[in-house]
Amino acid sequence: MGLMSRDLLGLEGRIVMVTGAGRGFGRAIAHGYGRNGATVIAVDPDVELATAVASEVEALGATAIPIRGDMSVVLDVTSTFEKVEELFGLLDGIVHVTAAESKTPFVELMESEWYDLMSQDVKSSLYVLQQGLRHLAGGGFVTIVLPPEARLEPHTLSVRKAVEGLIEGATRTFPGVRVNGVVPSRDPVSEEHDQPLVRAALGLGSMVSEGIRGALLSVQLPEPPMPPELYELYREVP
């Protein structure tokens, strides 16, 4: 993908936190912000993955720091934002990538898996919004990458609707912050084939989207020429 103009996007020198940055969509988005001149705070529950992606962003010529943090755990969320405030002061933006998924048929769903979905997707989005809206500079942004449209089971649909409700409510409560969502058409496959999502996340964080609030952007991602059995392999590789 050709790089967007840094002057056009207005991301040069901005401080942006990316959660779930260790793999999949989060990793690709962290790289995208780094390529466009932002300082990237790479947050992931796995400190080794967070450190690896921060190193990759620095190799692109940007500044990056890793932080181990599980955004579904309130103490981790509080600690993460305290570290960021100590190091940088206020943030310019946050991209929160929801992490949990379920391939279990609705009638076979176990209570533990349901709680995991709620925790990793809904609770994490709630906590990031609660803390993030207190730590953003004027005119900052929060972009949430929601569960993909391809997940059609009732429990996954309800989780996505709950996150959409959080975005809508935060937009009404904090009209000075650009709170938006991105809904990919499928799960992450490879950074090369996930670039439309990266471009959407960059666009919502740029100055060209200054007036956009409460939007939910559906992003159609191409299906790569890759055997389906390799999709999961990619998602396991940092």
Side-chain angles (χ1 to χ4, degrees), residues 49-117:
L49 294 182
T51 301
V53 77
S55 297
E56 292 163 3
V57 170
E58 289 191 331
L60 297 171
T63 299
I65 66 162
I67 295 180
R68 193 213 71 80
D70 183 342
M71 296 297 98
S72 68
V73 178
V74 68
L75 291 178
D76 274 21
V77 178
T78 301
S79 173
T80 295
F81 279 99
E82 287 176 349
K83 289 176 184 176
V84 171
E85 184 174 6
E86 181 180 344
L87 291 170
F88 298 103
L90 295 177
L91 287 163
D92 293 298
I94 301 165
V95 181
H96 173 55
V97 182
T98 58
E101 64 176 282
S102 172
K103 296 181 180 179
T104 304
F106 178 61
V107 294
E108 299 175 10
L109 185 71
M110 302 294 291
E111 183 179 29
S112 59
E113 187 174 357
W114 168 244
Y115 282 142
D116 184 58
L117 276 174

Side-chain angles (χ1 to χ4, degrees), residues 77-225:
V77 178
T78 301
S79 173
T80 295
F81 279 99
E82 287 176 349
K83 289 176 184 176
V84 171
E85 184 174 6
E86 181 180 344
L87 291 170
F88 298 103
L90 295 177
L91 287 163
D92 293 298
I94 301 165
V95 181
H96 173 55
V97 182
T98 58
E101 64 176 282
S102 172
K103 296 181 180 179
T104 304
F106 178 61
V107 294
E108 299 175 10
L109 185 71
M110 302 294 291
E111 183 179 29
S112 59
E113 187 174 357
W114 168 244
Y115 282 142
D116 184 58
L117 276 174
M118 291 295 294
S119 179
Q120 292 296 322
D121 288 352
V122 182
K123 279 176 61 178
S124 68
S125 299
L126 171 65
Y127 294 156
V128 166
L129 283 169
Q130 285 180 326
Q131 288 291 325
L133 291 168
R134 302 172 187 171
H135 290 81
L136 286 171
F141 71 90
V142 180
T143 301
I144 297 180
V145 180
L146 284 79
E149 290 180 338
R151 301 180 192 171
L152 298 175
E153 290 285 350
H155 49 291
T156 56
L157 286 173
S158 65
V159 165
R160 189 161 63 243
K161 287 296 184 183
V163 178
E164 290 176 5
L166 290 173
I167 293 170
E168 180 182 351
T171 299
R172 289 199 306 266
T173 307
F174 298 90
V177 179
R178 305 197 313 271
V179 181
N180 297 291
V182 179
V183 186
S185 61
R186 55 158 171 75
D187 289 309
V189 171
S190 72
E191 186 162 344
E192 176 186 359
H193 293 92
D194 295 342
Q195 285 304 309
L197 181 78
V198 175
R199 289 192 288 268
L202 291 173
L204 287 174
S206 73
M207 297 308 294
V208 299
S209 299
E210 188 172 355
I212 299 178
R213 290 170 172 80
L216 292 170
L217 302 184
S218 294
V219 178
Q220 185 65 39
L221 297 173
E223 293 298 331

